[in-house]
């Protein structure tokens, strides 16, 4: 079980699946993360451009970026080095039977999923280089943020032989359940800020 929380841009996994155990938090940055008021990025190793093993057979990768001001948005050229770093890390750290979750503040551009008016490079909505990472690494799930009107929505798309769950968790978050044997991801929405997911 993976708990995602948009407000802290992190993924946490209860050790041994016990709710009373502390979560391991792996943060990744977005355009609003110019000030680290809760010291989340100081206290943890940010995942931007890297991959971490969070359980046997399960890894998580992070794509994030922030400028100096919250309203700055990356261009493809800004995110491409981060995406390439994830691809390099994958070639070094992933085993053939590992499953991967991709955490990205910036959504992959899959034009078949949504109609985005004025869609262009520099439009600040979604990104080809992130889509290329999804197509190459075929994660079981992509947890994305950034586009507020997409919050608490999900899609499943085929990428080669893999069905990829794309989740826009939003401020309340979602609980991902990863079936490592079947290579599938499912999710449940968290309904209020006091809920830690399904029992």
């Amino acid at each position: 079980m993976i708990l995602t929380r948009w407000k802290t841009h992190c993924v946490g996994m209860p050790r041994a699946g016990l709710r009373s155990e502390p979560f391991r938090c792996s943060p990744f940055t977005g355009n609003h993360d110019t000030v680290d008021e809760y010291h989340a990025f100081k206290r943890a190793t940010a995942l931007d451009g890297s991959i971490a093993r969070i359980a046997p057979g399960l890894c998580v990768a992070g794509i994030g970026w922030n400028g100096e001001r919250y309203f700055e948005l990356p261009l493809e050229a800004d995110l491409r080095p981060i995406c390439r770093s994830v691809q390099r890390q994958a070639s070094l750290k992933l085993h053939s039977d590992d499953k991967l979750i991709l955490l990205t503040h910036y959504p992959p551009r899959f034009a078949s999923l949504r109609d985005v008016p004025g869609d262009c490079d520099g439009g600040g909505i979604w990104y080809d280089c992130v889509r290329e990472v999804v197509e190459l690494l075929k994660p079981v799930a992509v947890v994305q943020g950034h586009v507020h009107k997409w919050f608490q929505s999900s899609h499943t798309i085929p990428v080669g032989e893999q069905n990829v769950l794309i989740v826009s968790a939003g401020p309340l978050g979602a609980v991902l359940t990863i079936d490592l044997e079947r290579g599938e991801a499912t999710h449940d929405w968290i309904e209020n800020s006091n809920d830690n997911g399904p029992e």
Side-chain angles (χ1 to χ4, degrees):
M1 178 178 68
I2 310 294
L3 174 67
T4 67
R5 289 278 191 202
W6 169 73
K7 286 290 188 188
T8 56
H9 288 87
C10 74
V11 61
M13 183 168 177
R15 289 192 310 218
L18 301 174
R19 289 186 182 280
S20 61
E21 291 291 322
F23 277 77
R24 172 182 174 172
C25 185
S26 301
F28 57 104
T29 57
N31 58 299
H32 293 281
D33 295 320
T34 57
V35 177
D36 188 13
E37 63 186 283
Y38 299 110
H39 308 289
F41 298 103
K42 286 182 183 177
R43 293 181 184 158
T45 303
L47 274 175
D48 298 336
S50 66
I51 293 178
R53 185 166 302 280
I54 60 173
L58 184 61
C59 295
V60 62
I63 297 174
W65 177 94
N66 66 289
E68 293 180 15
R69 295 185 175 89
Y70 78 92
F71 54 81
E72 293 180 77
L73 297 173
L75 299 173
E76 289 280 345
D78 297 314
L79 284 183
R80 194 161 299 282
I82 299 161
C83 291
R84 285 188 184 134
S85 177
V86 167
Q87 292 170 359
R88 276 191 305 275
Q89 293 273 320
S91 68
L92 298 171
K93 294 183 176 180
L94 292 182
H95 303 125
S96 61
D97 57 345
D98 282 340
K99 304 304 179 238
L100 179 70
I101 300 168
L102 175 63
L103 306 176
T104 174
H105 182 77
Y106 303 100
R109 179 185 274 135
F110 284 105
S112 62
L113 289 183
R114 301 184 185 274
D115 180 30
V116 177
D119 182 25
C120 63
D121 184 27
I125 304 295
W126 51 1
Y127 295 84
D128 289 323
C129 59
V130 179
R131 185 197 69 241
E132 292 164 8
V133 170
V134 173
E135 291 173 341
L136 178 70
L137 301 183
K138 298 173 181 60
V140 292
V142 175
V143 178
Q144 65 187 21
H146 188 55
V147 184
H148 297 200
K149 67 182 179 179
W150 296 351
F151 288 167
Q152 289 222 296
S153 69
S154 65
H155 299 279
T156 299
I157 60 166
V159 178
E161 299 293 318
Q162 177 69 45
N163 283 325
V164 178
L165 174 65
I166 299 179
V167 176
S168 296
L172 296 180
V175 174
L176 291 180
T177 302
I178 309 298
D179 184 328
L180 292 175
E181 290 181 15
R182 295 174 60 188
E184 295 176 354
T186 58
H187 72 289
D188 291 295
W189 300 119
I190 296 174
E191 297 300 325
N192 64 60
S193 60
N194 295 322
D195 184 4
N196 287 326
E199 294 298 323

